[in-house]
Amino acid sequence: MNKKVLVLLSIIIFIIVAGASYVFFSKHTLTSQEQATSANPSNLGTVNNDYDALEFNPNLPKTETCPLTGVKYGKDQEQWWETHRPLGVMIENEIDARPQSGINAADVTYETLAEGGITRTLNVFYCQDAGIVGPVRSARTYFLDWISEYGNSPLYAHVGGANTPGPANALGQIGDYGWNNYNDMNQFSIGFPVFYRDETRQGHEVATEHTMYSVTTKLWAVAKSRGLTNVDKNGTQWDSTFVPYKFASSAPSVSERPASQVISIPWSGPDYAVKWTYSPKDDLYYRDNGGIPHIDRDTHKQLTASNIIILFQTQNYADDGYENNEHLLYGTIGSGDALVFENGKETQAKWSKANRTARTIITDTNGNAISFTPGKMWFEILAIGAEVDVQ
């Protein structure tokens, strides 16, 4: 047989054998991983990304419901989230802080104005792992009221906080609540390597205050070392007092969804203006911030939410002697008007909150509990009378 033909046949046989081996061993490895994941909860999740987030078996049936969002996940993911409690992380929204890390993985986000017309967010993680989160910034009193809704001793991660004596003294309030060195996750008391600075993560030069990051699994590990897992040091389950929202069992079909809806919130000006654009195709709202798509640094995807809830609350200055009297206060406790956006539709609503640890209840104007769409919840807290444009 011709020598060239023999060489060609050898190459073809090699390619066929190599391909068959790859298919066989790939399937075999996947099956082994599935078995290990199902049989050993301590080994749940694998790191397959550059931002240290746990990933779960995508092939398992989605049967387990996240109590914060109504989204269904696999059993392996439920076994993981049932080992810890909700974690709130303060992430800033100053222009130089963008793109932020981890916001898309939060089950719930609260956003409102802090000092200088700059919005800040509290991001609550429980059913999903974010990996790297940040830039992490300081505590504010009104965010304490919202994280306090997530059962007994919710975790609260931040870098210092407002401490001027008076009604906006967030650090003083944390101490008054008995959180210090327990469920309070202050970078000042925890430090490196749980918290660390990364001057290069955002891809552009920024001031030092925009460079602090952490990792959600490391924060949960610190909590565990303090006796806080799914139960506290007294053995009480975190959700023994938690009031979940009501979620719809199904979403309207694509043909039943509006063709479009755009929610615009000007906040303090063009750099912080937010626009949520509804997509009927995937039943999600896509976020623009400062006139451009707001991107998550970790996933490189645009920030989205299934539910946009606008709460109108009193907004006042603390008059505590802080520079330029910039510390703000919000009327988080009490009741007021709200707007709910889901499935491309707007609902006039009401909110109420009996005390700091009580849940913020959202009802329609007849007093019936709103049934939300399973998915991310994004709360926008605006001053009474603030402008919201809906088209």
Side-chain angles (χ1 to χ4, degrees):
M1 185 178 293
N2 187 290
K3 187 175 181 180
K4 291 184 177 179
V5 174
L6 283 173
V7 171
L8 181 61
L9 285 174
S10 298
I11 293 173
I12 293 172
I13 291 171
F14 173 80
I15 292 172
I16 292 173
V17 171
S21 298
Y22 174 80
V23 171
F24 173 80
F25 286 109
S26 295
K27 290 183 177 179
H28 180 75
T29 301
L30 178 61
T31 302
S32 298
Q33 289 175 344
E34 290 174 351
Q35 292 174 348
T37 297
S38 299
N40 186 1
S42 65
N43 290 331
L44 292 178
T46 56
V47 176
N48 291 324
N49 44 57
D50 67 350
Y51 48 93
D52 297 334
L54 297 177
E55 294 181 339
F56 299 89
N57 188 343
N59 301 312
L60 292 182
K62 303 298 186 288
T63 56
E64 313 309 316
T65 303
C66 173
L68 272 60
T69 63
V71 176
K72 291 185 180 295
Y73 297 99
K75 187 65 178 177
D76 60 342
Q77 198 156 341
E78 182 199 45
Q79 290 175 326
W80 168 76
W81 79 56
E82 286 188 339
T83 65
H84 56 245
R85 62 189 51 232
L87 163 67
V89 181
M90 296 300 305
I91 298 180
E92 61 167 320
N93 192 35
E94 209 273 354
I95 299 172
D96 286 343
R98 306 172 197 163
Q100 299 96 330
S101 293
I103 292 178
N104 249 355
D107 297 309
V108 187
T109 293
Y110 297 81
E111 178 180 30
T112 195
L113 286 173
E115 296 82 47
I118 301 171
T119 60
R120 189 168 298 190
T121 65
L122 166 68
N123 302 273
V124 184
F125 302 93
Y126 180 63
C127 295
Q128 303 178 91
D129 185 47
I132 297 173
V133 289
V136 184
R137 287 300 291 272
S138 54
R140 292 295 181 268
T141 180
Y142 32 94
F143 289 111
L144 299 182
D145 291 352
W146 294 318
I147 192 60
S148 293
E149 298 187 14
Y150 291 87
N152 70 82
S153 301
L155 307 179
Y156 183 61
H158 57 101
V159 180
N163 61 356
T164 304
N169 185 2
L171 294 187
Q173 291 164 0
I174 287 171
D176 293 341
Y177 303 156
W179 291 7
N180 283 337
N181 298 313
Y182 191 46
N183 58 305
D184 180 53
M185 317 292 283
N186 190 349
Q187 181 266 337
F188 288 2
S189 62
I190 296 175
F192 183 84
V194 176
F195 288 92
Y196 63 95
R197 293 200 179 277
D198 186 340
E199 292 80 6
T200 65
R201 185 163 185 79
Q202 292 163 64
H204 55 85
E205 187 174 345
V206 296
T208 301
E209 62 265 29
H210 308 308
T211 63
M212 185 66 75
Y213 293 86
S214 189
V215 179
T216 44
T217 51
K218 290 182 179 180
L219 292 166
W220 275 310
V222 171
K224 183 177 181 179
S225 72
R226 296 176 175 179
L228 286 167
T229 55
N230 59 311
V231 297
D232 63 15
K233 59 186 178 182
N234 298 316
T236 303
Q237 189 81 18
W238 77 267
D239 58 355
S240 60
T241 59
F242 176 68
V243 179
Y245 287 127
K246 181 181 178 181
F247 293 97
S249 58
S250 61
S253 64
V254 175
S255 62
E256 296 175 313
R257 300 169 189 169
S260 65
Q261 184 183 60
V262 178
I263 309 156
S264 297
I265 305 171
W267 287 115
S268 58
D271 289 336
Y272 294 93
V274 166
K275 181 173 73 174
W276 292 99
T277 302
Y278 177 68
S279 168
K281 181 179 179 180
D282 53 12
D283 200 22
L284 288 173
Y285 290 88
Y286 286 78
R287 177 180 166 98
D288 285 5
N289 199 182
I292 60 175
H294 196 165
I295 303 300
D296 188 293
R297 164 61 179 80
D298 291 354
T299 62
H300 309 294
K301 294 180 179 180
Q302 190 171 359
L303 301 189
T304 60
S306 295
N307 306 275
I308 310 297
I309 305 102
I310 297 178
L311 308 180
F312 294 99
Q313 299 184 344
T314 57
Q315 181 193 80
N316 297 299
Y317 290 101
D319 292 326
D320 56 2
Y322 185 72
E323 183 179 358
N324 298 322
N325 194 25
E326 287 191 326
H327 280 159
L328 291 172
L329 298 174
Y330 290 89
T332 59
I333 297 169
S335 60
D337 294 330
L339 296 173
V340 174
F341 299 91
E342 55 177 331
N343 309 133
K345 298 180 180 180
E346 174 184 353
T347 301
Q348 299 286 324
K350 297 287 186 179
W351 69 267
S352 63
K353 181 176 170 68
N355 52 59
R356 175 177 64 85
T357 59
R359 188 66 151 154
T360 298
I361 303 299
I362 314 294
T363 64
D364 62 22
T365 53
N366 293 319
N368 302 309
I370 298 277
S371 184
F372 294 103
T373 297
K376 176 157 181 145
M377 314 277 289
W378 192 297
F379 288 85
E380 305 276 27
I381 295 86
L382 277 67
I384 294 173
E387 179 183 354
V388 178
D389 181 63
V390 183
Q391 296 180 354

